[in-house]
Each structure stands twice: as structure tokens, then as C-alpha cells.
Amino acid sequence: MYQVDISEARICKRDHRKLVEYDYETDEDFSADSDDDNTFQPPPLSDSSDITDLSNYEKKLTRKRKSNWKVNITKSKRSQCVPYTNKKKVCPAKASKAIDCSDCKYKCTSNFSENDRIDICKAYWGFGDYTRQKDYTLKFEQVCAKFFQATLCISNGPINSVVKNISSVGCFLGEDKRGKKCPGNKTSDTDKILVKEHIEKFPVMEAHYVRKSSRKLYLESNLSISKMYSLYIDDVCPKNKIPVSEKTYRRIFCNEYNYSFFKPKKDLCATCSKYEQASDNEKKNLEADYTFHLIRKQQCNESKEADKLRCANESSGCLSMLTIFFI
Ligand SMILES: [Zn+2]
Ligand SMILES: [Zn+2]
């Protein structure tokens, strides 16, 4: 077991003042990717478009606001030395604790005033960055470990890791290993590739109305993620491979592809929607029927309007039966 060598704990008053000033000038924002906020532009919505990307847009926007994440709110509050809530409980603000070093050989309390200690503590937590905090601790003049811990409001863990990873010229060489361990249930790369290969087998088409403004691709309207997943199961099982869960399949589909399922315009009748979706060649064959269909539609609308008008003009306020046309 490694023991803390108290002689390694050093405080340099002059350096710490510089660092305090520097820190407040930079006014660092601890939401790591705050620059990413608002970079996602809403897709241009066209009236002629039968597909809106709004739900996806909202989803992406929520995911991007990292400054609202609980973990980042906690980090930010802790670095500002105000009370914060971690995963388990409400924690008091970081502040240097009272300590009596009158008997200590380094005479820590007589070398550092209470105001110095408050500034040092604020500066340390204000960095909000693992390596900068470690470098800062290396600037300290010789003090005892108790005083060091009480001033910075830390346990002996951070001191241990500094002492373990100090270079011959007094720099911190370690790296932040917290939260870097690969989770045991992580989907393996091979499984992920299989899922992606499967998704890419399906034919896709560009959006008809918003081709220029949208990069979204559309899968056939009769497909769904569940249907695709059951096809994936049929595909994987004969190969004696363990399939990923539907949730994982869905996550890969949603996160790695800008795909949607084509939905034909709702207010179109069968004739119109057949014509809309037909290829240029097919359209030539449908042209005559479609033109006749449009003429009948117009006649029907005119007749309906005339009926409405007649009804409004009649003082008795009759109930008009609108003619139903079979067009
Ligand atoms: Zn001391
Ligand atoms: Zn129609």
C-alpha cells in the first residue's frame, strides 16, 4: 500500500495568486461541449412536404444541451464552491476546514492566513479540470498533509495519485482514469457491424419534396424498425450468432442513420397518390386517367361551393344536402 509522503506536499503562495487571477479571467465554462449548443439548425419545413422532421429535430436539440445534464450541473456547482447534489446526497459547498497546526513542524497556520486558505480552496475547485488541479497541487510550499487536505477540502486520494505520478522535473504525468472503464454489457464491434450491414441491405430513397434541403433517406412505407428487427433475427439465427436486443438494434438505427419510413400524404386519394409516386414512365400511362380525375375533382368542388352559397342566400336557412360525387 502506498503511503503519502508529506514532504511532497508543497504550497507556493506567489504562484497560487497568479493562478487565482488566471482562473477567474478565463471564466471557464464546465459544460464541456457548450459550443455545440444551438449548432443544430431546424430543417426547413416546406408546405408541400408531407414529411416533417420536427420530432427528430426536438430529439437532437434535447440531446445536445449538455449544460442541462445533472452531472454537469453538479460539476459546475462544485467548481463554484456552492452546495451541490451528487448521485447519492446533497453535499456541502467546498470550503477549507479549520485546522490547528500550532504543533506542526512546518508551522502551516502561521504561514497561511485564513483568507489565503479560502482563495487556495476556491482556485483549486474553480479549475474543474483534473490535470489542472493536479498541477496546481504541485505548486504548493511544504505543508503537512493534514493542513493540505483541510485547506483544499479533499481526501488523501487526490494526493496519492499526484505523488504516484510525479515526474523527475515535478510535473504531473498521470491521466484521469475515472469513468473510462469499458462497460461489461457494451455491444461488441462485430455485433454492431452485423446490425449495420443488415440495415444497409434495405433500399432507400430520397425525399421527393425536400430533396435539396434534407439529407434524410426514406425506407419503404410498409417497413418498421420492429419488422426490420424480426428480419434481422431470421438472418442472424441460422448463422449461430447471438442477436442483439431490439433496443440495441433500434438505438443503432436511430443514432447512426438519418432514416425514416416514407408516409404517403394523408389527404390524397388513391388515384392521386398512385400518380404522385409513379415513375416518369408510369406517369405517361396514367396521364389521361389522372387529368380526367382532376377535372371531376374541380367540378365537384365548384358544385359544393355553389350549394353552400345557395344555402347561405336562402333566408329560411335551409339544410343543404351536399352532392356526393364519385370521381
Ligand atoms: Zn501543518
Ligand atoms: Zn385525387
Side-chain angles (χ1 to χ4, degrees), residues 267-307:
D267 58 349
L268 285 186
C269 74
T271 316
C272 289
S273 103
K274 192 178 168 191
Y275 183 81
E276 289 278 354
Q277 288 175 48
S279 69
D280 287 349
N281 263 342
E282 288 167 339
K283 271 184 184 164
K284 275 176 198 156
N285 292 331
L286 295 169
E287 199 72 61
D289 280 351
Y290 183 62
T291 317
F292 179 69
H293 171 74
L294 288 184
I295 293 167
R296 293 290 291 148
K297 189 159 83 176
Q298 202 184 347
Q299 283 173 351
C300 172
N301 282 339
E302 280 167 7
S303 172
K304 197 168 91 180
E305 286 307 312
D307 262 6

Side-chain angles (χ1 to χ4, degrees), residues 215-260:
R215 285 200 193 136
K216 195 180 255 289
L217 294 172
Y218 292 87
L219 290 151
E220 276 182 43
S221 57
N222 56 354
L223 279 173
S224 67
I225 301 182
S226 312
K227 277 185 194 165
M228 286 170 75
Y229 179 71
S230 63
L231 290 168
Y232 159 80
I233 297 284
D234 295 345
D235 200 38
V236 166
C237 286
K239 293 175 189 165
N240 284 332
K241 282 177 184 147
I242 301 162
V244 299
S245 69
E246 183 167 351
K247 206 174 157 188
T248 307
Y249 188 93
R250 192 172 285 273
R251 196 187 61 233
I252 296 172
F253 181 92
C254 295
N255 290 351
E256 313 232 347
Y257 296 90
N258 192 9
Y259 282 1
S260 204

Side-chain angles (χ1 to χ4, degrees), residues 110-162:
S110 52
N111 285 334
F112 292 90
S113 72
E114 275 310 299
N115 282 343
D116 285 340
R117 295 182 69 216
I118 291 168
D119 286 349
I120 290 168
C121 183
K122 272 189 183 164
Y124 176 81
W125 287 104
F127 288 127
D129 175 87
Y130 183 84
T131 318
R132 286 178 74 191
Q133 281 178 335
K134 293 287 177 285
D135 282 337
Y136 184 57
T137 53
L138 287 170
K139 307 261 181 202
F140 279 37
E141 267 169 27
Q142 218 157 38
V143 286
C144 71
K146 267 187 192 170
F147 181 83
F148 191 77
Q149 284 180 26
T151 303
L152 293 182
C153 192
I154 53 173
S155 66
N156 60 357
I159 306 175
N160 278 350
S161 70
V162 170

